Amino acid sequence: MPAKYSNEIALCEFALKFILLCHAATHAMRAARFPSPDDAVARDERATLAHLRARCDERVIASPAAAARATASWITHSFDIDPAFGDIDYGRWRGHSIRDMAESDPQGVAAWLSNVDARPHGGESIAMLAQRVTQALARLAREASCECCIVVTHAIVLKVALAHVRGEPLASIRSVDFAPLSSITLDYDAVREGWRVQETS
């Protein structure tokens, strides 16, 4: 076989696919409250995920949040929990309505919306979250034991992952939104050690 085609096959063999999936909607989301780890899903939507039900060669990982674990259970009976893909820590804003926080702490909310390093709630900044997520993606790529990995996580995690893979500034996440159960598919080329966005849905 010509060397050119051998190299192309080798590159394909080292291509890994990562599907980052937003968990199902919660009552807190519908009430416009900052999320808490214990927020439950609003309704059973497992039928929507029938196309993602894990095959034996796929690994499923979930954020520790209750909604992410419930969503992962609709895909497979066995999944791993990885805190690195957990939601951003909203500190003392957790569980409070966005409107209430905007009224009681307008300067803090303004800082949060304009500065990726701001953490007026005492939790994580967006920059801190981005560092955590990019390190987790790199670890998954190094440790990959199958060709496809499904990660059930949070919209803001998808946003920072997308900005990282595209090489865009973190501030760009303000112009992107992901609905519950939407996803992005990332390809990792282990030979070139590079990421690309395959699709968003």
Side-chain angles (χ1 to χ4, degrees), residues 28 32-37 39 90-98 100-101:
R33 297 198 308 268
F34 286 100
S36 295
D39 291 336
Y90 287 100
R92 59 178 172 271
W93 290 357
R94 281 190 287 186
H96 293 283
S97 76
I98 297 171
D100 287 349
M101 289 300 97

Side-chain angles (χ1 to χ4, degrees), residues 1-12 192:
M1 181 180 291
K4 174 185 176 183
Y5 296 106
S6 297
N7 289 339
E8 287 177 354
I9 291 173
L11 288 175
C12 291
R192 296 188 176 96

Side-chain angles (χ1 to χ4, degrees), residues 56-191:
C56 60
D57 60 342
E58 292 178 336
R59 180 185 181 193
V60 178
I61 297 172
S63 153
R69 288 185 281 113
T71 305
S73 73
W74 299 340
I75 300 172
T76 182
H77 295 299
S78 177
F79 57 88
D80 300 320
I81 295 175
D82 191 337
F85 290 101
D87 203 355
I88 192 166
D89 179 3
Y90 287 100
R92 59 178 172 271
W93 290 357
R94 281 190 287 186
H96 293 283
S97 76
I98 297 171
R99 174 177 291 183
D100 287 349
M101 289 300 97
E103 292 176 353
S104 63
D105 187 11
Q107 291 182 331
V109 172
W112 169 255
L113 293 174
S114 61
N115 182 357
V116 297
D117 292 305
R119 44 193 296 269
H121 42 55
E124 283 181 299
S125 67
I126 291 173
M128 292 166 68
L129 170 71
Q131 182 179 28
R132 165 161 64 86
V133 172
T134 54
Q135 289 175 347
L137 286 173
R139 171 171 50 80
L140 281 187
R142 290 193 307 270
E143 299 174 353
S145 58
C146 56
E147 293 183 357
C148 180
C149 181
I150 301 171
V151 181
V152 185
T153 182
H154 309 266
I156 197 164
V157 171
L158 269 69
K159 291 180 183 184
V160 298
L162 192 61
H164 167 64
V165 171
R166 287 178 170 171
E168 297 174 346
L170 271 180
S172 67
I173 72 169
R174 307 294 188 195
S175 61
V176 180
D177 201 11
F178 289 100
L181 300 184
S182 60
S183 65
I184 60 173
T185 301
L186 307 177
D187 284 339
Y188 179 74
D189 186 331
V191 174

